[in-house]
Amino acid sequence: MSEQLTPDNPGVSPENPDVSEVADDEAGEPVKQRKNGLYPGVSDELAESMRSGWADTELHDLRPIAQAEQTAARRAALSARFPGERLVIPAGNLKTRSNDTEYPFRSSVEYAYLTGNQTEDGVLVLEPTSAGHTATIYLLPRSNRENGEFWLDGQGELWVGRRNSLTEAGRLYGIPASDVRELPDLLREATGPVRVVRGYDAGIEAALTDKVTRERDEELRGFLSEARLVKDAFEIGELQKAVDSTVRGFEDVVKVLDKAEATSERYIEGTFFLRARVEGNDIGYGSICAAGAHACTLHWVRNDGPVRSGELLLLDAGVETHTLYTADVTRTLPINGRFNAIQKKIYDAVYESQEAGIAAVQPGAKYRDFHDASQRVLAEKLVAWGIVEGPVERVLELGLQRRWTLHGTGHMLGMDVHDCAVARTETYVDGTLEPGMCLTVEPGLYFQADDLTVPEEYRGIGVRIEDDILVTEDGNRNLSDGLPRRSDAIELWMAKLKG
């Protein structure tokens, strides 16, 4: 990785032997060199050379992004909900991973949902008018070539790549664009009621510190979470795209299980990640590549354990599309391609539970219905196997099955893997299913390796089956039905993939 000359990593100067001020940027702050950099400074001649001789690269034939119509409708709904109020929705900032390296940036869901833009430091502002609101998207403009920022700043374009001009951004997103560096002063001078989505941009929040309240801001974020409960046609298409790529990622894994046996769960993680990066933006969450007893750890993301023939692999993974919609699919697979008798017994019980849960996903049904249906089947199995004392109604009333089922049977899915998380309880878990909602159905049974309450042959076996289910006008559609679910179908599928 090349050394950068950055404002945050100074060199030397007469006033401070650790700082070398190269040139002033538009905000009056010097662009500084890295401490311990190999170049002591920038000569006047080099600075002049870097200012000139560059072609005009402005893009004039840009068309609006594919979801521009949908994002405009979402902003209109937001405007209608909060008339007369200034609304501020930041994208967020880069976060340091180590020293002068950053984590890959992922925009706040609220900002991306309303704009389609995913640029760090961006801010959407809705200014109230007598007719509703006018929207402005605040972004960093193209890197400044006069002051050297484009090649001296660690976030300059010669270091991290070209960014759109404000004019280009306006064309792409259908929103007038302005310089985000001017926004804090504008917000400090703002009058009237203001709300901001908190937790993403400390600088923007500081500019509004005397104008906002936590209660009002949480109401804004809650509304934006609930707005995503029902997906529009564009979102459903993106979710299907994410699932289709995920199916191919699972196929990739099955084809290389022999290599994973020779190495570790990391080989499975890396194999799926390659598909996610080739066909999408990233993985939607940390992949769970849990072999053997690791399958009993619900969020096993260390992925550093052995992969052994004769054991099961619980793979919970999802591709995230370039528009930030993620799949969330789980399959529990016999590493050698064949379930043994006890593995099949437990797997088939979870499959039966999932079938009951999926059947309960219907428009007009209570959100909790699919969870209750799945849990009932699992409780019946545990009673029948003599693991917990019945009757089943007693088990469910006391939640005794949870020792082995552990988690809820699903969640909303979208731009977050656990989407709509701050929606009001009455509209989410106590709400009613509507066409356009997308949720997971994912029952599981987990018999811990040290659980002395179950027969020894059960211990260390964990099974989860998870699919992404869209509520339709007349029932539901399994977006992830490209992957087999029945135990016999899984064995045939794996055999075919392994040749």
Side-chain angles (χ1 to χ4, degrees), residues 383-422:
V383 170
W385 297 342
I387 291 176
V388 64
E389 182 181 350
V392 170
E393 293 299 337
R394 168 184 171 271
V395 172
L396 293 170
E397 180 182 356
L398 299 176
L400 300 180
Q401 83 285 358
R402 293 180 60 186
R403 179 181 175 111
W404 305 279
T405 67
L406 292 174
H407 55 80
T409 311
H411 52 80
M412 291 295 181
L413 183 67
M415 298 181 82
D416 281 329
V417 65
H418 296 147
D419 208 27
C420 314
V422 297

Side-chain angles (χ1 to χ4, degrees), residues 342-379:
I342 191 66
Q343 290 168 350
K344 185 176 188 300
K345 175 183 177 180
I346 296 170
Y347 184 94
D348 287 349
V350 176
Y351 171 76
E352 186 179 332
S353 168
Q354 194 201 26
E355 282 284 273
I358 292 174
V361 177
Q362 301 285 335
K366 293 295 185 183
Y367 175 84
R368 292 178 181 271
D369 287 353
F370 76 94
H371 168 72
D372 292 341
S374 288
Q375 290 292 300
R376 175 170 291 277
V377 171
L378 295 179

Side-chain angles (χ1 to χ4, degrees), residues 214-282:
R214 181 168 297 277
E215 181 180 9
R216 286 163 50 77
D217 293 346
E218 288 177 354
E219 190 176 13
L220 168 61
R221 191 173 180 216
F223 172 82
L224 290 172
S225 193
E226 291 181 23
R228 302 197 307 275
L229 284 168
V230 175
K231 271 59 181 179
D232 59 38
F234 177 87
E235 293 178 290
I236 293 169
E238 289 299 291
L239 284 168
Q240 185 66 70
K241 189 187 301 181
V243 168
D244 292 345
S245 289
T246 298
V247 168
R248 290 187 283 273
F250 274 65
E251 292 171 345
D252 295 339
V253 166
V254 171
K255 292 175 183 177
V256 300
L257 282 176
D258 58 334
K259 295 182 173 62
E261 288 186 58
T263 52
S264 76
E265 295 162 339
R266 292 276 172 96
Y267 204 97
I268 295 167
E269 179 183 4
T271 298
F272 187 85
F273 180 70
L274 177 61
R275 177 66 65 174
R277 286 294 280 168
V278 167
E279 295 192 1
N281 175 60
D282 207 327

